[in-house]
Amino acid sequence: MHATDRSRELFGRALDVLVEGGSSPSRGPANYGDYPLFMTGASGSRIRDEDGNEYIDWMMAYGCLPLGHADPRVAEAVANAASSGAHLATATEVEVEVAERIRDLVPGVEKVRFANTGTESMMAVLRLVRGYTGRPKIVKFEGHYHGWHDEVLANCHPKPPGALGHRRSPITIPESSGLVRGALDDTIVVPWNDLDAVDRALRSNPGRVAAVVTEGIMANMGVIPPESGYLPALRRLTREHDVLLVLDETVTGFRIGPGGCQERYGVGADLVSFGKGLGAGLPVAAFGGRAGIMEALAWGGVLHYGTQNGSRIGLHAALANLRALSDDGSAAVRGAWDTGEALAAGLQEALDDAGVPGVVQGVGPMLQVMFTEAGRISDYRDFCGHVDGERYRRFALALFGRGVYTTPSAALHWMASAAHAPEDVERTVEAAREVLEDGAFAA
Ligand code: PMP
């Protein structure tokens, strides 16, 4: 019997003092129903809750942990840094070392700047592209998420298809109250995996667009890979229009390969932004790109500040992480790929055997189970129209009771790490079969 009484009690206490009982809506009742599980700690592929239950964790802190939980190399680096000065806010050698590593791993990166979160890094990038080009507008894709700041906080969550407007001119839909008035006036929203849509947007705004901003793999609408050749073609198109291309690798950076989507798909972006997987659980983000553009940040140009930028403890974690991911011919990354692919295949088989309509979509270590009768999901509109998010949530929550932890949001995804073993895949597929074949789930 899966007892979670202590989580329920703690949630009661949390609601008294924390809005929705936590620090982000995605960790609260909107996703988790009556109460979320309160976790006490984790190691490798396993996470433990307050009642002593252990789970195979496929959420991995929303993708912050490509090496798994409490990797000993990262833990040692953090402990050493913590005991000798967590943050100095001065010049440090480790800052240079991590920047050099990023430059060496990621094609096209000549200069680097550190920030703390994916949101912050993308905020700086957007200011930079505007400052550098002197143009006001950015093109953003439907269903892509680049952080919770105003100018990109549109069309990033699933919506009823009737609300989206026509595909050729999507309605820009803000995701929050309280945005600065006019914050989205210079944000042009277009469908992804559709070159004509970008071409039309750039032709209608000649000389006004600073950059096209894209995720490399759509990772905030389940997992939707780029169509073959799409990203290099987007690069050519933006070049033809003399517009910068920004690649948001917050999710994919250092996970999909040491050089991320830049390397895997040959994107050739002008600027690239990293977060999550860079700091191995510590809040470290970075952006980088061509020196000529990055130099616009130099004093007196485009301003980017931050007391916590380049925290020493975070950079030591990042250095240990990047070393571990790229050492030995990137064996750790390849291991996570194999695990992710085996898990995706196993879950697809479980769906098929149970006769439950659905697809498991993924790229290597990233995957999502989509309950749909529509076959493959290839863009945001497909997702909004055809994915049953409520059914997915029931599926994920039922897995908790069988020792498997993952995101309950259909719009997020599962993440395999280097710490997952074949046994984790087997046990998870077994648990998924039990849930899918249970009459109560089918009902
Ligand atoms: N960009 C992408 C592609 C993301 O997925 C996220 C977070 N899910 C962000 C930016 C924002 O990162 P953070 O939550 O660290 O601010």
Side-chain angles (χ1 to χ4, degrees), residues 125-139 151 185-188 201-203 205-213 235 237-245 270 302:
V125 165
L126 294 183
R127 181 179 290 172
L128 176 57
V129 296
R130 290 193 168 114
Y132 175 77
T133 62
R135 299 180 192 161
K137 293 188 181 289
I138 57 159
V139 171
E151 56 192 325
D185 287 358
D186 284 322
T187 304
I188 305 167
L202 297 180
R203 280 183 201 287
N205 294 277
R208 306 289 290 159
V209 177
V212 171
V213 181
R235 169 67 289 188
L237 186 64
T238 44
R239 213 168 256 139
E240 276 164 35
H241 286 273
D242 188 27
V243 166
L244 298 178
L245 180 63
D270 296 292
V302 180

Side-chain angles (χ1 to χ4, degrees), residues 71 78 89 121 125 199 206 211 221 231 245 268 322-323 339 347 380 400 430:
D71 179 87
V78 169
S121 180
V125 165
D199 194 38
M221 214 44 61
L231 292 171
L245 180 63
L322 293 183
R323 272 193 189 130
T339 304
L347 292 172
Y380 174 64
F400 292 5
E430 201 46 47

Side-chain angles (χ1 to χ4, degrees), residues 62 64 116-122 144-149 214-220 248-252 273-276 283-285 412-413:
Y62 296 90
C64 292
N116 300 284
T117 65
T119 299
E120 232 184 80
S121 180
M122 284 303 294
H144 288 207
Y145 176 69
H146 301 292
W148 54 271
H149 49 119
T214 187
E215 293 184 46
I217 294 164
M218 212 163 156
N220 289 283
D248 181 352
E249 296 236 49
T250 307
V251 174
T252 46
S273 179
F274 300 103
K276 303 210 188 214
V284 184
L412 297 177
H413 57 275

Side-chain angles (χ1 to χ4, degrees), residues 77-427:
V78 169
N80 287 342
S83 59
S84 56
H87 187 36
L88 307 178
T90 64
T92 55
E93 185 175 359
V94 66
E95 188 173 12
V96 183
E97 281 182 279
V98 179
E100 285 170 348
R101 284 236 162 209
I102 294 175
R103 182 193 60 194
D104 295 347
L105 289 173
V106 183
V109 169
E110 294 170 346
K111 288 265 166 102
V112 175
R113 182 53 90 76
F114 290 105
N116 300 284
T117 65
T119 299
E120 232 184 80
S121 180
M122 284 303 294
M123 284 170 76
V125 165
L126 294 183
R127 181 179 290 172
L128 176 57
V129 296
R130 290 193 168 114
Y132 175 77
T133 62
R135 299 180 192 161
K137 293 188 181 289
I138 57 159
V139 171
K140 175 215 177 270
F141 293 101
E142 286 185 314
H144 288 207
Y145 176 69
H146 301 292
W148 54 271
H149 49 119
D150 293 18
E151 56 192 325
V152 283
L153 202 57
N155 308 57
C156 10
H157 294 129
K159 309 247 177 310
L164 307 178
H166 193 277
R167 207 188 149 80
R168 285 174 69 94
S169 54
I171 299 171
T172 302
I173 309 172
E175 298 284 358
S176 173
S177 298
L179 300 191
V180 171
R181 196 151 45 99
L184 292 164
D185 287 358
D186 284 322
T187 304
I188 305 167
V189 179
V190 299
W192 199 56
N193 264 338
D194 180 347
L195 281 176
D196 289 344
V198 179
D199 194 38
R200 275 197 303 276
L202 297 180
R203 280 183 201 287
S204 328
N205 294 277
R208 306 289 290 159
V209 177
V212 171
V213 181
T214 187
E215 293 184 46
I217 294 164
M218 212 163 156
N220 289 283
M221 214 44 61
V223 178
I224 301 180
E227 300 288 349
S228 166
Y230 175 69
L231 292 171
L234 187 61
R235 169 67 289 188
R236 286 195 295 279
L237 186 64
T238 44
R239 213 168 256 139
E240 276 164 35
H241 286 273
D242 188 27
V243 166
L244 298 178
L245 180 63
V246 171
L247 184 64
D248 181 352
E249 296 236 49
T250 307
V251 174
T252 46
F254 313 111
R255 163 176 304 110
I256 218 69
C261 290
Q262 283 281 73
E263 180 186 15
R264 176 161 183 80
Y265 298 110
V267 188
D270 296 292
L271 292 169
V272 52
S273 179
F274 300 103
K276 303 210 188 214
L278 174 58
L282 278 93
V284 184
F287 57 101
R290 282 180 20 221
I293 303 172
M294 291 294 290
E295 288 297 342
L297 294 167
W299 186 251
V302 180
L303 192 64
H304 169 236
Y305 273 156
T307 303
Q308 304 285 351
N309 291 353
S311 100
R312 185 167 173 273
I313 192 169
L315 288 173
H316 276 286
L319 185 59
N321 182 42
L322 293 183
R323 272 193 189 130
L325 288 172
S326 53
D327 276 1
D328 196 13
S330 354
V333 174
R334 280 187 284 115
W337 265 81
D338 291 347
T339 304
E341 289 181 341
L343 180 61
L347 292 172
Q348 184 68 64
E349 228 176 83
L351 282 170
D352 296 345
D353 289 352
V356 175
V359 287
V360 182
Q361 290 193 190
V363 179
M366 302 161 51
L367 56 122
Q368 181 57 308
V369 180
M370 300 183 182
F371 291 98
T372 174
E373 308 213 352
R376 277 196 80 70
I377 298 297
S378 62
D379 72 10
Y380 174 64
R381 284 166 185 256
D382 257 5
F383 188 99
C384 292
H386 300 297
V387 172
D388 185 343
E390 193 41 44
R391 193 167 208 205
Y392 173 76
R393 198 164 71 91
R394 280 198 288 130
F395 172 66
L397 296 182
L399 287 175
F400 292 5
R402 290 170 173 81
V404 174
Y405 190 69
T406 188
T407 174
S409 164
L412 297 177
H413 57 275
W414 301 39
M415 239 130 344
S417 75
H420 286 97
E423 189 215 336
D424 294 324
V425 174
E426 280 159 34
R427 280 185 46 189

